[in-house]
């Protein structure tokens, strides 16, 4: 322990972290920059903040205040002590509906304030796209804005009073007037009134520099407003009184389509007289799928409010008539509006990848110009990009003239970095020529502070330095930001990464096979730190259970980045810090779909475990559950399932088995089926004379006998066969071995088409899921290659492969081709995989399922949400009269995760977030759906509820209607 750490531990009541993990998690924000701090302190109150400042001032150690860590210009990074306000100083202290004010601590997440204000018909005006994880302290530090700034302004417009501790320990209460200001600030202002009156451009999104003009006498000497946007360089915020605004009772969203970006930009300023709540713009090159948008090449998202839906719609339609659009869409349904806004909000992440998959970075994220000059500025901006051979996709707050953009800078080579600097200097001149601000929302940080003289001139920047000296004479707070800045091309976070690709097992096709590039996907926007999810979203269940940064997708990506860098995490793949952070990753794959940049932490975890345990003894759970297919096949061959179930029911035997297998003692060992699905199939095939087609005459489908269906839930497979055949399809199982010609079989393909002949044998297909999830990738590749050999007869036909277990289907679609990326058969099999609902929809489009007209509850499997999609399932449920939405999130069992020792508490917390409440709230007659074996097991063990696969529910309904085996009801 260093002397600094020891002193801090004595001085504060909050947590002090100088360990590898704490430091690695805070080396970066959402910018291009990286600094390694000495340590992190999570203060409990203002006294702790003052104590930290006193200790650090005595030792000359810088202090950086950090909220959600989503700053885009580098101002949330530092080399000294980082203050993390999200752990303790994160409360809403008071809300006064009559005065329309709230008292907040700096670590309070914006959405929590919005949730508390909503019952009173109020809200906080500014709402950045990171509203689910950005903090009020961070918003005040950066003077954040968001999409509603055309109506409600910036954060500075919503601040009433600020409680601040200065670097020298003064506790100030800032407001309007000089009463709470530090000594010397008034004299500085009154000595340079002319410069303050003429040196600042007038535009709605001028965020760059210090807002010293707010201190002018004609503006009421608003010290609190002047403090906003100071990026933690003047004082440390400990409390704020903020203004709330009245929320419209109803809203409408008009999506206005234009031919191109320039047309949309030119039109934006003309819509402001109509009093919209938002005027947001984005072009087609940022939208992955424009199917839900009106036809056009660019769009404005214009929101209107009213006392009623009709009034809001009328205002939106008036704007449509005045907008000169090529097409338009007006939506009043809140769900439809949320879906459209998600397209815009995810842009900060999706913009980090160009359409061809190449990387793009911030740095010129949010310049702003007068709204009436936006069209001309964008044309000049596009021209400058072209001149430098760069690409970027502008989007953002068109109504305020503020543009966000990620640009495909090469920040890995000296040549690329030099071009980054030249472009930055030239673009600053273009922005200033249009009367703009280098920052229109996210602050200057390191990205732009060096260029502030181009905007303000040397003399006004010198005045900024004098102001900094009044507040912080020792330059203790966030040095290198705003004044005396570090060069914009130094401290780049990519400079520490290896220049040669790391030897890895997965193919990482979207990242050119480069694991470093895969880890670089995480740009820090921190959507994974959202404390609640809506709809079918999943990411990141472990963070929501623990609230700890190291259990978020971003936190784990940061640790992997530092592992590759080798400066903070020094033992590479053997790192215990990375291992421990990944330990609570459920491998739910939610980040693969919910993360705007497609981080796939489940794959990164499997990769890490593969290397971490290479040549070493693994945890017992890796052998007991990683090799589950082997143990279950052994039980099936020896027909000892009844004995195994008997022993598992005897407490001493169960205790011993769980202890030896690394299984959580709180868990019950699932019962094994006394007869496997394949044996049932064999007996059934014999009973129908060996044809095995159950009377179907339609397309052939291959039903995958996954480990869970085969040994634990054969009833699911049996039900699926009945439904698929009722829909008129012919069902076969994959071959288990290749029969010799002497058996009278002409070739492998003929053997495959004779299901009875192929139900026996030692070779079984397997998706390798349990080996992948435990990082046993060599074994997984062996299993998958054998599977491809066995599936050769299937791949010689055009038969699709129907997989009932969502996690196994996801493994075949993604893990298989990524692990065996050099085997074309892997891609062929992956392309054949269909879910149960997809098979019915594509191969039996005219079949109508039995009508049940019952409510449904349960959960969409996390792998289905992330990899497979559930659109076909939704349509099938609707056709069967199963109403209601299934919950999102993760069940928490997640294959082996919830069974592993030490995971039970987190596993149960994940289930309690959405799944269990949804099931408890369901009525008596509700059907509880859970297609995954893990989900069904979690429901049974934690809630005593039997969940069923959709195939089981449909099969039961078919039997009730007397339609089993008859082709079902056809349209």
């Amino acid at each position: 322990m260093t002397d600094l750490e020891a002193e801090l531990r004595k001085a504060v009541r909050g947590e002090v972290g100088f360990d590898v993990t704490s430091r690695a998690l805070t080396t970066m924000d959402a910018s291009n920059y990286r600094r390694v701090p000495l340590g992190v302190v999570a203060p409990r109150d203002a006294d702790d903040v003052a104590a930290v400042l006193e200790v650090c001032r005595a030792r000359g150690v810088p202090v950086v205040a950090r909220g959600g860590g989503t700053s885009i210009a580098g101002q949330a990074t530092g080399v000294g002590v980082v203050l993390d306000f999200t752990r303790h100083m994160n409360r809403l202290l008071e809300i006064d509906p009559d005065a329309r004010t709230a008292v907040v601590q700096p670590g309070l997440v914006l959405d929590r304030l919005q949730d508390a204000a909503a019952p009173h018909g109020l809200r906080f005006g500014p709402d950045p796209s990171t509203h689910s994880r950005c903090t009020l302290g961070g918003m005040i530090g950066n003077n954040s804005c968001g999409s509603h700034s055309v109506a409600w302004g910036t954060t500075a417009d919503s601040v009433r009073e600020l409680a601040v501790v200065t670097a020298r320990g003064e506790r100030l209460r800032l407001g309007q007037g000089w009463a709470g200001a530090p000594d010397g600030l008034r004299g500085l202002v009154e000595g340079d009134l002319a410069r303050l009156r003429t040196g600042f451009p007038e535009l709605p999104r001028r965020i760059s520099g210090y807002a010293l003009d707010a201190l002018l006498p004609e503006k009421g000497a608003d010290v609190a407003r002047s403090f906003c946007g100071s990026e933690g360089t003047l004082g440390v915020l400990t409390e704020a009184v903020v203004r709330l605004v009245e929320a419209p009772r109803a809203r409408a969203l008009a999506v206005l389509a234009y031919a191109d970006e320039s047309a949309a930009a030119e039109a934006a300023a003309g819509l402001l007289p109509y009093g919209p709540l938002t005027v947001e713009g984005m072009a087609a090159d940022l939208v992955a799928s424009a199917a839900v948008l009106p036809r056009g090449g660019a769009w404005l998202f214009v929101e209107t409010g009213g006392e009623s839906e009709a009034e809001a719609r009328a205002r939106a339609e008036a704007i449509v008539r005045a907008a000169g659009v090529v097409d338009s869409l007006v939506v009043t349904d809140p769900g439809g509006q949320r879906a459209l806004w998600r397209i815009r909000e995810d842009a900060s992440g999706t913009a980090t990848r160009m359409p061809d998959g190449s990387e793009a970075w911030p740095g010129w994220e949010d310049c702003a110009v007068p709204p009436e000059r936006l069209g001309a500025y964008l044309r000049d901006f596009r021209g400058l990009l072209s001149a430098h051979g760069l690409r970027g996709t502008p989007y953002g707050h068109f109504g305020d003239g503020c543009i966000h953009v990620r640009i495909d800078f090469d920040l890995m080579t000296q040549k690329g970095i030099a071009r980054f600097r030249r472009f930055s200097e030239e673009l600053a001149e273009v922005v200033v020529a249009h009367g703009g601000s280098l920052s229109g929302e996210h602050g200057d940080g390191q990205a732009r502070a060096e260029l502030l003289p181009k905007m303000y001139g040397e003399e006004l920047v010198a005045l900024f330095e004098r102001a900094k000296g009044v507040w912080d004479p020792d330059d203790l707070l966030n040095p290198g930001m705003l004044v005396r800045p570090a060069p914009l091309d130094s401290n780049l976070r990519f400079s520490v990464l290896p220049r040669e690709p790391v030897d890895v097992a997965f193919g990482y096709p979207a990242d050119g096979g480069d694991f470093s590039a895969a880890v670089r996907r995480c740009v820090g926007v921190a959507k994974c730190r959202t404390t609640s999810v809506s709809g079918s979203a999943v990411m990141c269940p472990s963070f929501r259970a623990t609230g700890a940064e190291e259990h978020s997708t971003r936190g784990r990506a940061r640790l992997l980045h530092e592992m590759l860098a080798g400066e903070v995490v020094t033992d590479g793949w053997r790192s215990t810090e990375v291992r421990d952070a990944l330990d609570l990753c459920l491998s739910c794959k939610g980040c693969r779909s919910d993360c705007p940049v497609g981080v796939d932490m489940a794959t990164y975890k499997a990769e890490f475990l593969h290397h971490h345990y290479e040549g070493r003894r693994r945890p017992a759970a890796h052998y007991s559950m990683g090799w589950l297919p082997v143990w279950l096949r052994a039980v099936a061959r020896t027909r000892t399932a009844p004995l195994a179930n008997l022993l598992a029911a005897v407490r001493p035997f169960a205790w011993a088995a769980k202890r030896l297998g690394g299984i959580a003692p709180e868990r019950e060992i699932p019962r094994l089926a006394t007869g496997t699905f394949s044996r049932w199939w064999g007996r059934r095939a014999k009973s129908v004379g060996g044809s095995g087609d159950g009377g179907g005459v339609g397309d052939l489908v291959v039903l995958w006998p996954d480990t869970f269906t085969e040994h634990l839930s054969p009833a699911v497979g049996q039900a699926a066969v009945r439904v698929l055949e009722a829909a008129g399809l012919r069902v076969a199982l994959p071959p288990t071995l290749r029969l010799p010609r002497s058996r009278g079989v002409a070739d492998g393909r003929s053997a495959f088409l004779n299901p009875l002949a192929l139900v026996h044998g030692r070779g079984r297909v397997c998706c390798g899921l349990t080996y992948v999830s435990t990082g046993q990738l060599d074994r997984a590749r062996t299993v998958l290659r054998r599977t491809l050999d066995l599936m050769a007869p299937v791949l010689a036909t055009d038969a699709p492969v129907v997989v009932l277990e969502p996690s196994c289907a996801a493994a075949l679609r993604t893990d298989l081709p990524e692990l065996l990326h050099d085997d074309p058969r892997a891609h062929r099999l992956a392309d054949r995989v269909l879910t149960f609902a997809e098979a019915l929809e594509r191969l039996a489009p005219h079949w109508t399922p039995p009508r049940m007209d019952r409510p449904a509850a349960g959960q969409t499997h996390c792998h289905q949400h992330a990899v497979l999609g559930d659109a076909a399932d939704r349509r099938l449920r609707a056709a069967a009269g199963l109403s209601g939405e299934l919950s999102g999130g993760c069940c928490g069992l997640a294959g082996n995760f919830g069974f592993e020792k030490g995971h039970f508490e987190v596993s149960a917390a994940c289930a309690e977030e959405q799944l269990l409440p949804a099931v408890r709230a369901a009525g008596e007659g509700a059907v509880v759906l859970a297609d995954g074996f893990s989900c069904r097991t979690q429901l049974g063990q934690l809630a005593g509820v039997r969940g069923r696969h959709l195939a089981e529910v449909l099969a039961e309904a078919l039997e009730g209607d007397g339609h089993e085996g008859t082709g079902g009801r056809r349209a």
Side-chain angles (χ1 to χ4, degrees):
M1 186 184 297
T2 65
D3 291 343
L4 174 63
E5 180 184 0
E7 283 191 53
L8 287 170
R9 289 188 181 278
K10 291 179 183 178
V12 304
R13 294 184 300 114
E15 291 86 359
V16 177
F18 276 56
D19 56 286
V20 168
T21 298
S22 297
R23 296 168 63 220
L25 291 172
T26 49
T27 56
M28 292 173 280
D29 49 15
S31 72
N32 297 327
Y33 301 101
R34 171 184 177 271
R35 293 176 180 83
V36 179
L38 296 174
V40 181
V41 176
R44 288 190 175 272
D45 50 29
D47 290 341
D48 269 4
V49 172
V52 171
L53 291 171
E54 182 178 358
V55 170
C56 290
R57 183 174 64 254
R59 292 182 166 272
V61 174
V63 176
V64 178
R66 180 178 169 111
T70 58
S71 290
I72 294 178
Q75 60 267 60
T77 66
V79 295
V81 170
V82 173
L83 296 177
D84 177 5
F85 289 98
T86 62
R87 292 193 217 173
H88 303 301
M89 296 181 70
N90 57 10
R91 291 177 294 150
L92 171 62
L93 300 177
E94 179 186 335
I95 191 164
D96 186 337
D98 296 326
R100 294 185 181 177
T101 58
V103 183
V104 303
Q105 291 185 315
L108 177 69
V109 170
L110 175 59
D111 270 3
R112 304 289 74 76
L113 174 58
Q114 305 289 37
D115 291 343
H120 305 289
L122 302 173
R123 57 163 290 140
F124 189 68
D127 57 344
S129 60
T130 54
H131 53 82
S132 62
R133 59 270 191 200
C134 69
T135 64
L136 270 294
M139 293 180 68
I140 291 168
N142 290 344
N143 194 10
S144 299
C145 307
S147 60
H148 288 87
S149 59
V150 294
W152 297 313
T154 70
T155 297
D157 294 312
S158 297
V159 164
R160 288 290 172 264
E161 294 181 10
L162 301 175
V164 169
V165 181
T166 70
R168 290 194 171 178
E170 289 183 274
R171 302 197 188 196
L172 306 178
R173 193 83 183 180
L174 311 180
Q176 195 163 34
W178 295 109
D183 294 338
L185 186 61
R186 183 172 186 173
L188 180 143
V189 170
E190 293 178 346
D192 224 328
L193 290 174
R195 195 180 316 281
L196 293 178
R197 287 184 172 124
T198 60
F200 293 85
E202 287 295 331
L203 69 161
R205 287 294 194 98
R206 190 251 301 157
I207 305 299
S208 282
Y210 291 133
L212 297 182
D213 59 325
L215 300 173
L216 287 166
E218 59 267 30
K219 295 185 178 180
D222 196 337
V223 181
R225 184 184 186 92
S226 178
F227 187 87
C228 293
S230 57
E231 302 181 18
T233 62
L234 303 182
V236 179
L237 177 73
T238 58
E239 188 176 294
V241 180
V242 296
R243 177 175 68 97
L244 303 176
V245 297
E246 187 175 356
R249 292 181 181 274
R251 301 189 193 203
L253 177 61
V255 183
L256 312 178
Y258 293 87
D260 54 36
E261 172 189 271
S262 291
E266 297 284 1
L271 303 180
L272 298 179
Y274 292 86
L277 301 177
T278 70
V279 183
E280 299 288 289
M282 62 193 305
D285 48 4
L286 191 64
V287 181
S289 173
V292 297
L293 298 173
R295 58 183 178 84
W299 299 271
L300 293 179
F301 286 49
V302 183
E303 188 178 77
T304 58
E307 286 296 305
S308 66
E309 180 181 311
E311 182 180 352
R313 174 179 280 277
R315 290 177 176 173
E317 290 173 344
I319 287 175
V320 170
R321 289 192 295 271
V325 296
V326 297
D327 197 6
S328 65
L329 173 68
V330 175
V331 179
T332 55
D333 168 57
Q337 292 182 48
R338 283 193 298 272
L340 289 165
W341 275 122
R342 274 196 294 271
I343 298 173
R344 163 62 186 87
E345 290 179 353
D346 282 350
S348 60
T350 55
T352 63
R353 292 281 160 162
M354 306 307 297
D356 63 0
S358 57
E359 297 166 303
W361 305 107
W364 286 93
E365 175 69 18
D366 62 322
C367 300
V369 298
E372 62 274 11
R373 296 195 58 85
L374 180 60
Y377 166 71
L378 278 175
R379 286 190 290 273
D380 288 347
F381 172 76
R382 290 280 195 181
L384 189 63
L385 280 176
S386 179
H388 283 270
L390 296 169
R391 296 174 298 163
T393 305
Y395 66 98
H397 315 293
F398 280 26
D400 273 336
C402 180
I403 294 300
H404 297 315
V405 65
R406 301 290 175 109
I407 301 172
D408 64 339
F409 298 119
D410 168 17
L411 299 178
M412 302 290 290
T413 68
Q414 290 303 313
K415 182 179 179 182
I417 294 170
R419 181 167 59 169
F420 167 62
R421 167 170 280 280
R422 290 194 305 272
F423 175 85
S424 300
E425 292 170 342
E426 292 178 29
L427 181 56
E429 293 171 356
V430 172
V431 172
V432 172
H434 283 277
S437 174
L438 302 185
S439 171
E441 178 160 26
H442 296 302
D444 298 307
Q446 186 178 341
R448 287 174 287 264
E450 183 188 355
L451 302 174
L452 285 177
K454 291 181 181 290
M455 176 179 170
Y456 287 116
E458 297 288 351
E459 292 181 348
L460 192 52
V461 169
L463 189 61
F464 291 165
E465 291 191 28
R466 288 168 54 202
K468 163 77 166 171
V470 168
W471 286 91
D472 179 20
D474 305 307
D475 201 16
L476 187 76
L477 299 176
N478 216 0
M481 300 297 154
L482 285 177
V483 301
R484 297 180 291 276
L488 63 87
D489 52 355
S490 63
N491 302 315
L492 293 171
R493 66 186 179 105
F494 317 101
S495 62
V496 295
L497 293 176
R499 288 297 178 262
E500 297 298 324
V502 179
D503 185 25
V504 287
F506 282 98
Y508 303 99
D511 299 292
D514 186 351
F515 183 69
S516 294
V519 170
R520 287 201 304 269
R521 279 182 173 270
C522 179
V523 294
V525 296
K527 190 176 179 182
C528 50
R529 281 181 55 94
T530 301
T531 54
S532 62
V533 297
S534 59
S536 61
V538 173
M539 180 183 74
C540 177
S542 52
F543 172 77
R544 293 194 299 277
T546 69
E549 172 78 8
E550 61 265 35
H551 299 142
S552 69
T553 304
R554 180 180 73 170
R556 294 174 179 127
R558 290 290 179 261
L559 282 162
L560 287 168
H561 185 109
E562 294 303 327
M563 180 194 80
L564 293 171
E567 180 182 351
V568 181
V569 177
T570 57
D571 43 0
W573 295 111
R574 299 297 198 203
S575 167
T576 56
E577 294 84 8
V578 178
R579 180 201 65 199
D580 292 346
L582 288 169
D583 181 55
L584 290 186
C585 170
L586 285 81
S587 296
C588 67
K589 287 189 177 287
C591 48
R592 185 174 178 122
S593 62
D594 295 349
C595 172
V597 293
V599 168
D600 185 357
M601 194 52 63
T603 296
Y604 305 170
K605 176 182 179 179
E607 185 76 64
F608 175 83
L609 293 176
H610 168 70
H611 295 281
H612 185 76
Y613 290 109
E614 191 171 15
R616 306 164 79 190
R617 182 180 177 183
R618 288 174 167 271
H622 287 198
Y623 300 108
S624 63
M625 287 176 279
W627 285 62
L628 187 65
V630 173
W631 310 133
L632 292 179
R633 281 199 297 271
V635 170
R637 282 198 300 271
T638 56
R639 299 179 185 267
T640 54
L643 177 61
N645 291 333
L646 178 64
L647 294 176
V650 178
R651 184 171 297 177
F653 287 110
W655 176 86
K658 287 187 278 189
R659 184 175 178 83
L660 287 172
I663 298 171
E666 301 91 341
R667 287 291 176 190
E668 300 171 26
I669 298 176
R671 290 182 61 84
L672 307 182
T674 54
T676 67
F677 171 59
S678 292
R679 285 195 184 124
W680 171 86
W681 173 260
R683 292 193 302 271
R684 183 176 183 275
K686 287 180 180 179
S687 70
V688 295
S691 67
D693 64 10
V697 295
D699 292 337
L700 177 70
V701 297
V702 179
L703 188 61
W704 185 270
D706 63 83
T707 295
F708 306 100
T709 301
E710 175 76 357
H711 300 284
L712 297 164
S713 298
V716 171
Q718 296 166 20
V721 170
R722 289 196 287 271
V723 175
L724 291 169
E725 290 182 344
L729 302 175
R730 289 185 300 134
V731 181
L733 265 60
T736 55
L737 74 166
R738 298 188 183 199
L739 297 181
R741 291 180 183 275
S742 60
R743 294 283 298 273
V745 179
D747 55 29
R749 185 173 183 277
S750 299
F752 160 60
L753 293 175
N754 182 349
L756 178 61
L758 294 168
V759 293
H760 302 294
R762 296 181 180 179
R764 293 283 183 188
V765 295
C766 179
C767 70
L769 171 69
T770 58
Y771 305 107
V772 172
S773 64
T774 54
Q776 301 180 73
L777 300 185
D778 288 336
R779 175 64 183 169
R781 280 192 291 237
T782 299
V783 168
L784 289 171
R785 286 196 183 98
R786 183 190 68 198
T787 292
L788 290 176
D789 291 340
L790 290 167
M791 290 293 287
V794 177
L795 297 178
T797 74
D798 58 0
V801 178
V802 180
V803 186
L804 301 173
E805 174 64 38
S807 55
C808 295
L812 290 171
R813 274 204 191 163
T814 59
D815 296 329
L816 167 62
E818 291 176 16
L819 264 179
L820 301 183
H821 47 90
D822 55 350
D823 191 331
R825 299 177 303 166
H827 297 276
R828 288 203 297 273
L829 178 53
D831 292 342
R832 297 282 187 87
V833 170
L834 296 178
T835 67
F836 174 70
E838 286 173 341
L840 289 171
E841 183 172 82
R842 296 184 193 181
L843 304 176
H846 302 297
W847 179 72
T848 300
R851 189 84 186 173
M852 284 169 270
D853 294 319
R854 295 173 63 186
Q859 188 169 55
T860 300
H861 193 285
C862 52
H863 286 187
Q864 178 130 23
H865 166 79
V867 176
L868 307 168
D870 68 339
D873 295 75
R874 290 172 179 270
R875 289 188 287 269
L876 179 58
R877 293 199 302 268
L882 294 172
S883 59
E885 292 292 321
L886 303 189
S887 72
C890 179
C891 74
L893 194 61
N896 55 290
F897 175 84
F899 273 99
E900 290 184 11
K901 184 178 180 181
H903 291 175
F904 180 80
E905 186 177 346
V906 170
S907 174
C910 292
E912 285 290 355
E913 186 197 13
Q914 290 201 67
L915 174 60
L916 299 187
V919 170
R920 293 186 190 115
E924 282 289 326
V927 176
V928 179
L929 292 172
D931 281 1
F933 175 77
S934 292
C935 305
R936 296 194 295 272
T937 302
Q938 188 80 311
L939 280 168
Q941 294 197 0
L942 297 187
V945 173
R946 179 178 174 238
R948 292 188 292 170
H949 194 288
L950 182 57
E952 293 180 283
V953 176
L954 292 176
E956 181 181 287
L958 282 172
E959 292 172 11
D961 278 0
H963 282 287
E964 185 184 9
T966 67
R969 290 186 294 178
R970 294 183 179 273

